[in-house]
Amino acid sequence: MPYNVTTMLPYGRQRDVQSRNCIGCNTRSPRPDAPAVDAIRQCLPHMIIDVIASMGTFFGERSIDTASTSSFLATLSLNAIVFVAAIGLFTVTRPHLKSIYEPRASVHLDSKRAAPLTGSRSLLYWPIAMYNIDCRLVLDKNGADAYFFVRFLRMKARIFFALWIISWAILLPLTSAGSHVGTNSQLDRFTMGNHFILIRQEYLTSPSRTGSIQAHTFLVTGVPASYSNPAELFKDLSGGIHNIWTTSGLELMPNIAHRRMAAITKLEAAVTKFLAMAARENAGSGQLETTTKSQRPSHRVGIFGSWGKKVDSIEWACSEIATCNRLLAQISRDSADDHFKTRPRTAGGGILSWKTCAAFITCNSRISAHMASKALLHHKPYLMSAKYVDVSWKDVVWNNLNQNPYELKLRMLVSYAATTALIIFWTVPAAFIGLASSLPSLAATAPWLSWIDMIPTWVMGFLSGILPPVLLAAVMMLVPLSLRSLAVFEGKPTQSAVELSLMTRFFMFQVVHSFLIITVSSGIVAALPGLLRAPTSVPTLLAQRLPQASTFFLTFTVLRGLSGAANGLLQIGPLILYHTKLFMLGSTPRSIYAIKYGSRSVQWGTLFPDFTLLAVIGLVYSVISPIINGIACFAFFVFYHLYKYLLVWQFAQPRGSDSGGQFFPRAVGHIFVGLYIQQICMAGLFFLARDERNYPASAPQGVLISVLLVLTILFQHFINDSFGPLHHGLPLTLADSPRETHGSGENWSRENDFHPIIPTPSPIAWFPNDLLGLALMQAKNCHDAGVNCSLQNAEMNAKGRVKVTGPPPDLE
């Protein structure tokens, strides 16, 4: 904000020296020669205005200045250069780094392998190959959630393409012809579901899906422990019940399984370290020297290995694995003995004191599982009311299964209250970090902060230049972690349900912090001092500020569409970490295999909101600043083809956690938020518009937009009412579908008759086969101690380096 040099107060807050009245509040000012700080202290409202102006300087004018036309063109040029450079580097390096850019082309399981992107074609053929990728490949390789994500990107690209053509052909000429509001110039002059149901049902009734026990199983939580065998409830169900497993008494089993896996990892690391040390000591000797006890790997059993008894790592791990196996076997036997045992009902105690459990119910007919999941199971409220169909035991959050349903309702209230509080109060650290980045302008804006100018230059450079972005990045990394923890605390029993809950929470956070606060602060907060002085200037100030805020989002969309796509294509993070991981973490055969052949995955709960936010921004400013439509169209077009490629050749989503595409309709619902914000903003602009006589000039248009807002609300309600029931489960009309009956029966019924919470047999410890024969001896010793071991597909050379030639022996 500019300053009057004589009084050292902001323009608009100058004191009338002759009348000695303060223009801000019309109160008597101190003597003209009084220090500026004393003058401000005389009027508390003045200091409040200064703080508002300071916030406006950071949130508003700072953003506006950096989002001017020249800055926008510079941002566009720079990101275009980055985009082209990334494409060039990707073209050159892709054929030589298959582990980074096409890991699924070399995996050892046929079901997860994808054919090479370009095969033997030329180096420059990959853009054509990427463009020609069929969406169905994503469905086959990564399930419905991944498929509907790329369909969502394609849908938004098509929507913005239509908006682009219409707005650039009609709105841009109309809004720019002879228009000049205030200081607006240059770029600112241009401002102002059926397919889902069909494909989801085809996917759910496909042979690969119906041929699994998961497709015939649904999960029921809140089963009273005093209730007798749940099979009584389903005795009249068509097709009958294949099996029922309850989780009562199995609460400790997942923790024991994790403890066993940690011990196996410790054993593999210790044996590999021991073999490598022996290989280096005996290199070139041709003889096997006896390795002393002190040379064997050891560790302390205390927390973080910092204290406690020192033990031999190999012997301790073997003992730990054997102990876990015995505990798991005992719990399994106890559960089997009590599996179908009728438990007597207990009287009294009240609902809150009831102990509940969960039940996995597998039906002989898949349609029966969907019918049973929609039935009312219990005569008491909340008990046995939460049901999840098509559940894989790998997707279950085991610690949330046996919670009382009344406690879950309380947890849900606390969880969303904490989410709301986090969204509201997250502005505090963000504001402080933001203010730190503009310390010099704060000192100039508010004279009572003039002491900031006494800070040494190098300290100021660190505090305002380096520290804020680092702190902001660190703070923002905590948001998804915090929101995911709240979703788990809510008590969701499956990982896919947790991600769906996280998706809504993170979208709320993104809309508030990454859109609304920036829009409001850029357009209004910076103008508040002027509004306080002259409230009648509201229309003029809004006309000046809103276009400038839209220019900021133009640069944001360019940044996401060019730099974001370039980074997604080049995969800079994995590219840098690949060799680092091999050097620092690639010691055991399992870790090397995971680095070289392991496929990455994405979290839908945080990925979807990034793109729904981009769609909301595009929709809100599609009329106010039509230029954004072309940029958004390009961004979604690029991301659509990018994620087709990533989800076929790089990412491998766990099939057990696939929700059948449930994220797509929720994302569409979030898009309506953008429509509502856009229509509210447009109605406000029309109602505030004034002609040269200060009369409302666009009130009829404001009324029409208000009617459109009501129609949009009714349309969303109609969509939800019509298609909402089809988003969950399968209709009876598909009961006789050839797809449904194909693959059922004995093919799936023998797939797995273990209790789903009971882990499969102990994972196999994987050692590399060495030249000295020590690995074979260690494998025999471990086997005698009750640990399954294997030396296949892994070798160690004379220098102690491990080479992997195939998958782990227990790869599923």
Side-chain angles (χ1 to χ4, degrees):
M1 180 178 292
Y3 282 78
N4 181 285
V5 179
T6 304
T7 61
M8 291 302 293
L9 290 174
Y11 280 120
R13 279 273 328 285
Q14 299 175 33
R15 290 167 297 180
D16 185 343
V17 178
Q18 293 182 350
S19 64
R20 295 192 180 183
N21 284 344
C22 175
I23 298 176
C25 64
N26 200 33
T27 57
R28 185 73 172 176
S29 297
R31 64 185 189 275
D33 58 342
V37 175
D38 292 338
I40 294 175
R41 288 174 179 168
Q42 297 296 323
C43 182
L44 182 60
H46 293 166
M47 189 166 69
I48 296 176
I49 292 176
D50 276 338
V51 173
I52 293 173
S54 301
M55 295 292 290
T57 300
F58 169 69
F59 286 112
E61 295 181 355
R62 182 173 181 270
S63 298
I64 290 168
D65 290 341
T66 58
S68 63
T69 302
S70 59
S71 180
F72 168 75
L73 294 177
T75 302
L76 180 62
S77 302
L78 177 61
N79 282 275
I81 293 172
V82 171
F83 183 72
V84 172
I87 289 178
L89 186 59
F90 174 79
T91 302
V92 174
T93 58
R94 183 189 64 82
H96 307 287
L97 293 174
K98 296 289 187 179
S99 296
I100 300 295
Y101 298 118
E102 292 182 30
R104 296 196 64 167
S106 56
V107 295
H108 294 87
L109 290 182
D110 294 339
S111 60
K112 296 183 179 181
R113 188 183 303 126
L117 177 64
T118 58
S120 59
R121 294 182 176 90
S122 68
L123 190 70
L124 302 178
Y125 184 76
W126 68 265
I128 300 175
M130 187 179 295
Y131 180 84
N132 291 330
I133 295 174
D134 187 355
C135 282
R136 290 281 180 170
L137 274 177
V138 178
L139 184 67
D140 295 338
K141 297 298 180 183
N142 267 314
D145 289 337
Y147 171 77
F148 283 111
F149 173 70
V150 297
R151 283 289 300 267
F152 174 80
L153 296 177
R154 187 177 73 178
M155 178 184 72
K156 299 313 299 179
R158 290 177 173 178
I159 289 175
F160 280 106
F161 178 78
L163 290 175
W164 174 27
I165 298 300
I166 295 173
S167 62
W168 283 32
I170 299 176
L171 291 182
L172 282 187
L174 289 178
T175 55
S176 62
S179 65
H180 187 80
V181 181
T183 60
N184 290 351
S185 61
Q186 300 181 26
L187 191 63
D188 293 340
R189 295 177 59 187
F190 298 102
T191 62
M192 170 53 205
N194 252 341
H195 292 298
F196 165 74
I197 299 297
L198 177 63
I199 296 175
R200 168 179 159 81
Q201 290 176 350
E202 288 182 354
Y203 172 73
L204 293 180
T205 57
S206 63
S208 62
R209 192 77 173 182
T210 58
S212 64
I213 194 172
Q214 170 185 344
H216 296 74
T217 302
F218 68 98
L219 170 66
V220 181
T221 60
V223 179
S226 59
Y227 196 78
S228 60
N229 177 21
E232 298 175 358
L233 292 174
F234 307 102
K235 61 180 181 297
D236 298 324
L237 187 67
S238 175
I241 299 297
H242 173 68
N243 213 338
I244 295 179
W245 300 276
T246 61
T247 60
S248 179
L250 302 177
E251 294 86 353
L252 296 178
M253 185 167 283
N255 294 331
I256 298 175
H258 289 308
R259 173 183 163 189
R260 181 179 65 181
M261 193 64 223
I264 290 175
T265 302
K266 186 75 172 180
L267 175 62
E268 291 177 346
V271 170
T272 305
K273 181 179 179 181
F274 173 69
L275 297 178
M277 179 180 60
R280 288 191 294 267
E281 290 181 359
N282 292 274
S285 65
Q287 298 179 357
L288 177 61
E289 298 181 2
T290 303
T291 305
T292 63
K293 184 76 173 177
S294 61
Q295 292 175 305
R296 290 170 61 89
S298 61
H299 70 281
R300 297 186 182 276
V301 294
I303 300 177
F304 304 121
S306 57
W307 61 80
K309 181 182 178 182
K310 191 173 184 179
V311 297
D312 182 283
S313 296
I314 297 176
E315 294 178 356
W316 175 88
C318 289
S319 176
E320 180 77 354
I321 295 170
T323 300
C324 292
N325 286 337
R326 287 194 300 270
L327 292 174
L328 291 172
Q330 182 61 45
I331 295 175
S332 178
R333 286 193 297 270
D334 294 343
S335 174
D337 293 341
D338 192 51
H339 184 41
F340 280 110
K341 190 178 296 181
T342 300
R343 295 182 292 276
R345 299 177 184 267
T346 57
I351 292 180
L352 288 177
S353 65
W354 284 1
K355 181 180 179 182
T356 61
C357 65
F360 292 87
I361 302 172
T362 301
C363 301
N364 291 322
S365 169
R366 190 179 185 204
I367 202 69
S368 298
H370 286 265
M371 292 173 60
S373 68
K374 301 301 179 184
L376 184 63
L377 300 183
H378 204 277
H379 59 283
K380 297 273 181 147
Y382 299 135
L383 294 179
M384 303 180 71
S385 61
K387 300 177 286 292
Y388 302 83
V389 73
D390 208 343
V391 172
S392 168
W393 65 270
K394 295 180 180 180
D395 188 41
V396 171
V397 182
W398 299 106
N399 292 332
N400 286 346
L401 287 185
N402 295 347
Q403 297 185 21
N404 186 285
Y406 288 83
E407 178 188 347
L408 289 179
K409 294 298 179 182
L410 181 61
R411 281 174 170 263
M412 182 183 67
L413 292 176
V414 173
S415 174
Y416 273 98
T419 299
T420 304
L422 184 145
I423 293 174
I424 293 174
F425 292 106
W426 203 265
T427 56
V428 176
F432 275 107
I433 293 173
L435 290 175
S437 68
S438 56
L439 287 177
S441 61
L442 282 177
T445 302
W448 56 280
L449 294 175
S450 59
W451 56 269
I452 294 178
D453 291 334
M454 295 183 292
I455 298 177
T457 304
W458 69 271
V459 176
M460 179 67 71
F462 175 79
L463 293 178
S464 62
I466 299 177
L467 188 60
V470 173
L471 288 178
L472 187 61
V475 167
M476 292 303 294
M477 288 176 60
L478 298 176
V479 174
L481 298 177
S482 303
L483 294 178
R484 182 175 277 109
S485 298
L486 290 174
V488 174
F489 174 80
E490 183 184 355
K492 295 296 184 181
T494 63
Q495 293 289 349
S496 54
V498 168
E499 289 298 305
L500 283 166
S501 179
L502 171 63
M503 177 182 176
T504 298
R505 298 168 194 264
F506 195 46
F507 174 73
M508 292 164 52
F509 181 92
Q510 292 274 55
V511 168
V512 171
H513 284 271
S514 299
F515 176 65
L516 290 180
I517 287 181
I518 292 177
T519 300
V520 171
S521 61
S522 295
I524 296 178
V525 173
L528 278 180
L531 295 178
L532 294 176
R533 294 193 307 271
T536 57
S537 65
V538 169
T540 303
L541 288 171
L542 285 177
Q544 294 173 351
R545 295 290 179 174
L546 281 178
Q548 295 169 337
S550 65
T551 308
F552 168 80
F553 284 110
L554 286 177
T555 61
F556 173 82
T557 308
V558 167
L559 183 68
R560 290 286 287 124
L562 292 177
S563 294
N567 181 56
L569 184 67
L570 195 57
Q571 295 291 303
I572 297 177
L575 185 62
I576 295 175
L577 293 177
Y578 175 73
H579 294 288
T580 305
K581 284 184 176 180
L582 278 179
F583 177 75
M584 299 182 62
L585 304 177
S587 57
T588 66
R590 196 180 301 273
S591 62
I592 293 175
Y593 183 86
I595 295 172
K596 283 192 171 183
Y597 304 104
S599 300
R600 303 184 303 277
S601 62
V602 295
Q603 302 285 352
W604 301 121
T606 52
L607 183 62
F608 257 105
D610 284 340
F611 292 96
T612 49
L613 173 68
L614 190 63
V616 166
I617 292 173
L619 289 174
V620 169
Y621 285 98
S622 60
V623 177
I624 296 175
S625 181
I627 269 186
I628 203 171
N629 296 323
I631 301 173
C633 176
F634 174 80
F636 279 106
F637 176 81
V638 171
F639 279 121
Y640 164 62
H641 293 290
L642 170 65
Y643 275 95
K644 279 195 307 178
Y645 159 70
L646 293 178
L647 289 167
V648 172
W649 275 276
Q650 291 193 22
F651 298 150
Q653 300 300 116
R655 282 304 181 99
S657 62
D658 188 87
S659 70
Q662 292 295 328
F663 294 90
F664 179 81
R666 185 162 298 197
V668 173
H670 291 169
I671 295 302
F672 276 89
V673 174
L675 292 176
Y676 295 141
I677 296 176
Q678 184 230 26
Q679 292 164 8
I680 291 173
C681 289
M682 291 301 301
L685 288 175
F686 281 134
F687 283 126
L688 287 173
R690 295 291 189 272
D691 58 18
E692 63 275 2
R693 294 176 296 175
N694 202 30
Y695 290 158
S698 304
Q701 290 89 335
V703 172
L704 289 176
I705 291 293
S706 300
V707 173
L708 179 61
L709 176 62
V710 175
L711 293 177
T712 304
I713 295 173
L714 294 177
F715 178 73
Q716 185 182 16
H717 174 74
F718 170 77
I719 292 295
N720 293 336
D721 184 66
S722 301
F723 298 101
L726 297 175
H727 293 167
H728 310 277
L730 290 174
L732 290 176
T733 52
L734 295 179
D736 297 326
S737 170
R739 288 176 174 268
E740 172 66 17
T741 57
H742 180 78
S744 60
E746 293 299 320
N747 289 337
W748 70 265
S749 63
R750 289 198 303 264
E751 177 188 319
N752 182 10
D753 265 347
F754 294 112
H755 193 298
I757 198 174
I758 296 176
T760 54
S762 176
I764 301 174
W766 193 18
F767 306 147
N769 197 2
D770 66 330
L771 300 176
L772 302 176
L774 286 177
L776 188 61
M777 295 172 55
Q778 289 296 326
K780 183 179 182 303
N781 294 337
C782 292
H783 187 271
D784 294 340
V787 179
N788 295 326
C789 305
S790 175
L791 305 180
Q792 69 179 34
N793 298 333
E795 300 173 353
M796 177 179 288
N797 61 19
K799 297 182 179 180
R801 294 179 180 176
V802 177
K803 179 182 179 182
V804 173
T805 59
D810 52 4
L811 180 66
E812 296 181 2

